[in-house]
């Protein structure tokens, strides 16, 4: 959910210099503002412009690392939806918009003669069929980790997490799939 990344950052002791929150819900924006006083709110990811990204870089000139985390709507991947349209659905293609934004974040510093941002990427979605998994993982450039909430909580909520530019340590409770 929208507070999950913030909660994870809190657990590892990471305090962001600022947050760019992209969400259509005004209620979610209020929660973001409670999480971090330096929130820039954007209602739709499709509306983000190159100039906005440049302004974010100007606003945080000393920042060296950017963590981008989120997901795209799962409605067309979920096996609970008998009418799902998979990776080709319009809502599923919001992943492409996220990936384009990542590329902008990686390039934005150069015109301003600032050091490049180190971009850490987290993507989340539901467990999906093999065809969608292959398509979406191919776009992201890595395979996901699977996490089942029922392993620690009382609810079943299996999710896939793609993590890039952050080392993940393999252990007894986590085995990485080969790329």
């Amino acid at each position: 959910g929208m507070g999950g990344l913030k909660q994870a950052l809190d657990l590892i002791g990471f305090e962001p210099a600022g947050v760019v929150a992209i969400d259509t819900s005004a209620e979610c924006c209020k929660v973001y503002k409670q999480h971090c006083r330096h929130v820039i709110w954007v209602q739709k990811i499709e509306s983000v412009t190159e100039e906005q990204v440049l302004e974010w870089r100007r606003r945080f000139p000393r920042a060296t690392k950017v963590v981008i985390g989120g997901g795209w709507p799962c409605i067309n991947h979920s096996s609970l939806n008998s009418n799902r349209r998979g990776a080709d659905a319009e809502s599923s293609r919001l992943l492409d918009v996220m990936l384009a934004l990542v590329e902008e974040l990686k390039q934005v510093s150069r015109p301003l003669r600032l050091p490049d941002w180190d971009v850490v990427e987290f993507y989340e979605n539901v467990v999906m069929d093999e065809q969608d998994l292959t398509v979406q993982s191919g776009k992201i450039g890595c395979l996901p980790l699977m996490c089942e909430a029922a392993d620690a909580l009382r609810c079943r909520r299996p999710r896939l997490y793609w993590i890039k530019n952050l080392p993940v340590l393999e252990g007894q409770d986590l085995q990485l799939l080969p790329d």
Side-chain angles (χ1 to χ4, degrees), residues 53-123:
V53 178
L54 278 166
E55 182 54 36
W56 301 342
R57 187 62 178 114
R58 284 185 200 104
R59 189 161 175 185
F60 305 108
R62 295 185 319 203
T64 58
K65 186 176 294 262
V66 171
V67 178
I68 181 168
W72 59 99
C74 63
I75 188 79
N76 283 298
H77 292 303
S78 175
S79 61
L80 298 174
N81 178 3
S82 61
N83 296 318
R84 67 184 178 276
R85 294 196 313 261
D88 291 331
E90 184 178 339
S91 66
S92 298
R93 288 194 306 265
L94 285 174
L95 171 61
D96 301 331
V97 180
M98 288 176 65
L99 293 168
L101 179 56
V102 167
E103 291 308 312
E104 284 190 54
L105 292 170
K106 290 177 180 177
Q107 304 296 323
V108 70
S109 301
R110 292 177 188 161
L112 300 173
R113 294 192 171 103
L114 292 169
D116 286 343
W117 270 337
D118 184 20
V119 181
V120 175
E121 302 169 58
F122 289 95
Y123 304 97

Side-chain angles (χ1 to χ4, degrees), residues 32-50:
Y32 289 124
K33 287 180 179 179
Q34 290 173 348
H35 289 178
C36 181
R37 63 179 183 211
H38 304 293
V39 174
I40 301 168
W41 181 43
V42 178
Q43 199 165 27
K44 291 186 174 217
I45 192 168
E46 308 96 290
S47 70
V48 174
T49 65
E50 189 175 321

